[in-house]
Amino acid sequence: APSVAFLAKCGERGGLRLGCVAECMKQIEWNNKLSNIIVEAGETVTIFDTAEKSGKAIIKVKPNAFVSYFYIPQTVMVEEAEKERELVVEIEEDPQAEVYGAVLSHGEEKYRFNLVQHHKGERSKSKTLFKGVGKDKSLQEFFGMIKIDKTAQQSNAFLENRVLLVSEHATSRAKPELEINANNVKASHAATTGRINEDQLFYLQSRGIDVKTAEELIAKGFLGEIHSRMKSYDLTPSLI
């Protein structure tokens, strides 16, 4: 049986199109072939990627469309010791693209996420918020680029990667980049990696909570922002 990795919901802004459920609810299998997803003009599409397998895709966002993409691995790796997602989002004039990620890695798992938010048209907007929690000896890598063409004047883009390392043996790497070819745009990025605050652990332990449970509570809170955004789209998979 194919491994389902994509669940997409689409509709018009402000609500689901009548008659859209059967037509627009779709599942796409991730594999090593290039998959294209087209968000048509005026549509709103939400994509939930469970990272069942490694793979790559291009999301093409047409004028006045809105897409939200969530990368949320749901299972502990069994077949693959390393998973990689390559995603290119091509944004035409006046649409908006949002990319969110929440990765919890265990053992010696390795996750690599490569993203290009490619602004091609005027007044295009993109936002990326990618969060990770690393446990044991796991590795997380995030490579993100905001690319703005000369034709994409008045565009606005922001890319952010935050990682919390629970174990001293867990590691992360981040490489955010900007490629700006227009002179009237707003674009910025940020990336941080940190460890659990000892004061937070001490506070929870002083309330009778053991170390392991305290670490899980802190990790859950760290990923909570992504979870809240998922719930606003009626997506409720477990993050911890």
Side-chain angles (χ1 to χ4, degrees), residues 134 155 166:
S155 292
V166 177

Side-chain angles (χ1 to χ4, degrees), residues 117-183:
Q117 291 271 34
H118 188 177
H119 292 251
K120 292 187 167 186
E122 293 182 340
R123 299 174 299 277
S124 53
K125 297 179 181 179
S126 72
K127 178 181 179 179
T128 301
L129 176 59
F130 211 92
K131 286 192 167 188
V133 173
K135 294 185 174 183
D136 307 318
K137 296 181 180 180
S138 62
L139 168 66
Q140 296 188 25
E141 295 180 314
F142 177 84
F143 304 104
M145 173 179 283
I146 295 171
K147 182 177 181 179
I148 301 180
D149 290 349
K150 189 175 181 179
T151 54
Q153 300 291 348
Q154 301 180 55
S155 292
N156 194 328
F158 180 65
L159 183 149
E160 182 177 11
N161 176 230
R162 308 287 184 193
V163 178
L164 177 67
L165 301 177
V166 177
S167 165
E168 63 179 11
H169 301 295
T171 56
S172 72
R173 302 188 187 108
K175 187 180 180 182
E177 295 181 291
L178 300 175
E179 184 178 317
I180 311 298
N181 296 304
N183 57 16

Side-chain angles (χ1 to χ4, degrees), residues 173-208:
R173 302 188 187 108
K175 187 180 180 182
E177 295 181 291
L178 300 175
E179 184 178 317
I180 311 298
N181 296 304
N183 57 16
N184 183 17
V185 300
K186 293 180 180 179
S188 59
H189 59 68
T192 61
T193 298
R195 301 191 182 275
I196 286 183
N197 187 299
E198 293 296 328
D199 291 338
Q200 289 180 310
L201 274 180
F202 177 79
Y203 175 81
L204 291 172
Q205 288 179 275
S206 70
R207 297 300 185 270

Side-chain angles (χ1 to χ4, degrees), residues 45-75:
V45 175
T46 302
I47 300 168
F48 176 47
D49 180 2
T50 58
E52 292 286 332
K53 291 186 177 182
S54 297
K56 57 185 178 181
I58 295 175
I59 300 175
K60 298 185 177 183
V61 191
K62 298 296 184 178
N64 294 299
F66 181 88
V67 62
S68 295
Y69 167 95
F70 292 86
Y71 180 78
I72 317 287
Q74 290 294 286
T75 57

